[in-house]
Amino acid sequence: MSIPGMRRAAVGLTALAVAAFGAVTSTPDQAEAGPKPVDVTLLALNDFHGNLEPPAGSSGTIAGQTAGGVEYLATHLAELREAATKKKNTITVAAGDLIGASPLLSAAFHDEPTIEALSMAGLDYASVGNHEFDEGADELLRIQNGGCHPVDGCADGTPYKGAGFQYLSANAFKTATGRPLLPPYAIHKVDGVKVGFIGMTLEGTPQIVSQEGVAGLSFADEAETANRYARELRRKGVQTIVVLLHEGGAQAATGGINDCVGMTGPIVDIANRMDPSIDVVVSGHTHQAYNCKINNKLVTSASSFGRLVTDIDLKIDRRSGDVLSAQAENVVVTRDVAKDPAQTALIDRYTTVLGPVADREVGETTTAITKDQEGLLGPCSVQVPASCGESPLGNLIADAQLAATDDEQNAVAAFMNPGGVRANLDAGPVTYEEAFTVQPFANNLVTLDLTGAQLYCVLEQQFVTGRILYPSSTVRYVVDVNGTTAPATDPCAGTRVVRGSLTLGGTVVDPAATYRVTVNNFLAGGGDGFSALTAGTNLVTGMIDLDAFVAYLTAESPVSAPALDRIRTTAEPA
């Protein structure tokens, strides 16, 4: 860490190195005799999303190993603490989205089981993530402080005590007062030195959370906020500063869980704009694993669903409080260790309260139906989201939403956002719990009027937002691989979608005609950046998306994976 007040000479961001590492170090001359450095261990996770039970299928594997499940996570955390140079100098942290988009076992109880489980597992501090705001600010405060749900009460029959750890929220402010919703930072004293933790969500949270969820809140730039509170921490004598940030990036597909190959994404720019006094950034949001040095900072991410723990070792100068060295390793949460009995008891208790609803069969599939997206503009890559097109499960959900509103609201098309499809369906019987895990947000279907011209605008906006909507079976259109992407200020100006190629039910769309289209209420409100949908008129709110999905599975079983033939490019034959 640099001396407080020092400023590094301006350097172009493109010249700043982003490199893989074995052990990241920022080491001053330690030759002179002095007191022994303080060893501090940080154990970090992110994007747990209420996965108390081991995730199934590909969501339950990483680095070629089955992984995840809070019973195993708690055991691994305990073992890593025991293995630390100084057990009492271990701090457990998280970078947001611990709750929200959760499987039924947690979501049915408003994610109280997850908070209870992570508290028992020894979590100390966590940043908020966008999904912490899914049910609004008041519910987030209840999750932190405790109390029964205002509508559903204490669903398991016992009072909810609140989190045993502290949520941090430095860049989410109450609009009316300008004050942070939750504490912006925490100072943790370890063996005579102070370690500061600043917690933040991504500035773009309002674009990916329902408007009800962020009502009354404002969100600030991540780097500017981190620098502001880093200065405040230094004034309080804190020289070791860790940012817990729910924003991230992705490395190239060739990179392993402890690599940093071709790193891209918002985290690169954010870390490059952070003050030199910030030593470590524990990141998340993109569900990726990486272990990087960016702008002389250790930048890590532990993928998602509790499949990895990042083991971070810091050596801190006892006299100055500066970080002498920092290194990290992403450790797989394997399932070959003993289950933590307290976590097993918690899962059993909530499973009993949940009752038989979870295991009720609602349909059957002839084969596994995945959310994996095919390539559209080149191979599908998390680094280039607009390169990813249709997915079998996304198309199936769009079909279900159209089936729920075609007769009822005269809908002729439906579109589903890719971020709302959270898990795969295995082959065979489908339970209510499995269907819930695919569609956990309880969004309402909204059917609205769009002109043909507005429909084209929505489709062009896909390439501005980097998110390709899943279309129902009635939709066909062609994407020009040589077309231009519209500027964000005028999403209708793009030429990616070939004019005249859009058909609904086999009929060419007339730009001047009006069509009834179904989306979920998140998209209808402009979510994921689809502001063009807010121009819709004659809105009618329908059933919950999960109910439509379950009804479709029941009515159409056995269900097969839909063909991926609804979006074609000019590089493909007609």
Side-chain angles (χ1 to χ4, degrees):
M1 179 185 296
S2 60
I3 298 171
M6 286 185 65
R7 288 293 179 268
R8 186 172 295 177
V11 181
L13 293 183
T14 56
L16 289 168
V18 179
F21 69 99
V24 171
T25 60
S26 177
T27 310
D29 184 4
Q30 299 179 48
E32 61 175 298
K36 187 177 180 181
V38 176
D39 291 300
V40 175
T41 298
L42 308 180
L43 302 178
L45 60 146
N46 54 273
D47 295 274
F48 185 71
H49 288 292
N51 277 263
L52 298 172
E53 297 177 294
S58 60
S59 297
T61 62
I62 196 165
Q65 302 179 73
T66 55
V70 76
E71 296 161 294
Y72 305 106
L73 174 63
T75 297
H76 277 277
L77 288 171
E79 291 181 349
L80 288 167
R81 292 185 190 109
E82 288 292 335
T85 305
K86 281 195 174 182
K87 177 182 175 181
K88 66 182 181 67
N89 291 8
T90 301
I91 308 167
T92 305
V93 298
D97 275 12
L98 303 179
I99 57 177
S102 303
L104 183 62
L105 183 62
S106 184
F109 305 99
H110 299 280
D111 279 315
E112 294 171 14
T114 292
I115 299 299
E116 185 178 344
L118 294 176
S119 299
M120 290 195 307
L123 185 60
D124 295 299
Y125 306 106
S127 72
V128 294
N130 54 287
H131 281 291
E132 266 78 16
F133 294 94
D134 281 350
E135 296 188 42
D138 288 344
E139 173 64 2
L140 175 54
L141 293 175
R142 185 189 74 86
I143 286 293
Q144 175 70 74
N145 300 319
C148 295
H149 190 272
V151 176
D152 296 331
C154 291
D156 74 331
T158 61
Y160 170 62
K161 297 179 181 179
F165 57 89
Q166 181 61 57
Y167 266 119
L168 304 174
S169 179
N171 68 332
F173 300 92
K174 298 178 183 177
T175 305
T177 65
R179 297 179 63 84
L181 178 67
L182 286 159
Y185 61 80
I187 299 174
H188 195 109
K189 293 183 179 180
V190 181
D191 209 2
V193 300
K194 297 177 180 178
V195 181
F197 295 94
I198 301 169
M200 296 183 291
T201 186
L202 67 155
E203 182 185 10
T205 292
Q207 282 74 58
I208 56 176
V209 173
S210 70
Q211 293 308 296
E212 294 85 357
V214 294
L217 298 174
S218 303
F219 295 81
D221 180 88
E222 303 94 340
E224 292 175 6
T225 302
N227 294 343
R228 167 189 173 184
Y229 286 112
R231 290 191 294 270
E232 188 168 320
L233 285 168
R234 293 200 305 275
R235 288 195 295 268
K236 294 184 176 184
V238 180
Q239 301 299 325
T240 295
I241 300 175
V242 179
V243 171
L244 310 176
L245 173 59
H246 190 71
E247 178 60 292
Q251 57 170 322
T254 55
I257 62 173
N258 280 299
D259 294 330
C260 188
V261 180
M263 190 68 182
T264 61
I267 193 63
V268 178
D269 172 65
I270 293 168
N272 278 326
R273 291 190 292 117
M274 282 184 175
D275 190 86
S277 63
I278 294 169
D279 303 288
V280 179
V281 181
V282 176
S283 67
H285 185 56
T286 56
H287 291 202
Q288 301 298 301
Y290 45 82
N291 197 341
C292 297
K293 182 182 180 181
I294 305 176
N295 191 19
N296 204 36
K297 305 178 194 311
L298 183 62
V299 179
T300 68
S301 178
S303 190
S304 60
F305 308 149
R307 293 175 293 170
L308 295 177
V309 172
T310 308
D311 185 357
I312 302 171
D313 292 319
L314 305 178
K315 287 189 179 295
I316 302 174
D317 188 286
R318 190 178 295 274
R319 292 176 297 188
S320 68
D322 288 333
V323 172
L324 300 174
S325 67
Q327 61 182 10
E329 179 187 6
N330 277 324
V331 179
V332 178
V333 177
T334 59
R335 300 178 194 167
D336 57 359
V337 297
K339 295 180 180 180
D340 181 275
Q343 300 289 350
T344 300
L346 178 143
I347 290 172
D348 290 345
R349 174 162 59 91
Y350 281 104
T351 299
T352 300
V353 177
L354 187 61
V357 62
D359 295 328
R360 178 170 62 89
E361 287 189 15
V362 298
E364 184 178 357
T365 61
T366 60
T367 184
I369 305 178
T370 73
K371 61 186 181 74
D372 298 337
Q373 293 175 269
E374 70 167 357
L376 184 62
L377 300 178
C380 181
S381 167
V382 69
Q383 294 181 301
V384 189
S387 67
C388 302
E390 301 172 69
S391 87
L393 190 50
N395 286 4
L396 182 70
I397 291 170
D399 291 345
Q401 295 183 355
L402 178 60
T405 54
D406 53 357
D407 295 332
E408 295 80 1
Q409 297 299 332
N410 298 314
V412 293
F415 294 93
M416 176 63 194
N417 56 307
V421 185
R422 305 300 297 191
N424 300 324
L425 284 180
D426 293 331
V430 179
T431 66
Y432 182 82
E433 182 174 22
E434 290 169 330
F436 182 96
T437 304
V438 172
Q439 289 255 267
F441 293 114
N443 288 319
N444 285 95
L445 300 186
V446 176
T447 305
L448 44 81
D449 284 351
L450 291 172
T451 66
Q454 289 171 326
L455 259 176
Y456 272 107
C457 185
V458 170
L459 297 181
E460 290 290 353
Q461 198 162 32
Q462 296 175 116
F463 301 94
V464 179
T465 65
R467 296 176 176 90
I468 305 300
L469 300 173
Y470 300 136
S472 61
S473 61
T474 53
V475 179
R476 296 289 188 280
Y477 65 93
V478 178
V479 173
D480 188 345
V481 296
N482 297 313
T484 58
T485 298
T489 53
D490 186 9
C492 302
T495 60
R496 282 291 189 185
V497 180
V498 175
R499 295 308 186 265
S501 71
L502 176 59
T503 62
L504 298 180
T507 301
V508 175
V509 166
D510 178 354
T514 298
Y515 303 89
R516 295 289 282 167
V517 176
T518 296
V519 294
N520 58 44
N521 62 288
F522 170 69
L523 283 174
D528 274 349
F530 283 95
S531 58
L533 283 168
T534 63
T537 58
N538 297 323
L539 280 67
V540 176
T541 299
M543 66 171 63
I544 298 291
D545 53 7
L546 174 62
D547 294 340
F549 185 44
V550 167
Y552 189 80
L553 290 172
T554 301
E556 300 296 328
S557 283
V559 177
S560 300
L564 304 182
D565 59 358
R566 302 172 187 185
I567 307 173
R568 184 173 62 83
T569 71
T570 51
E572 300 174 86

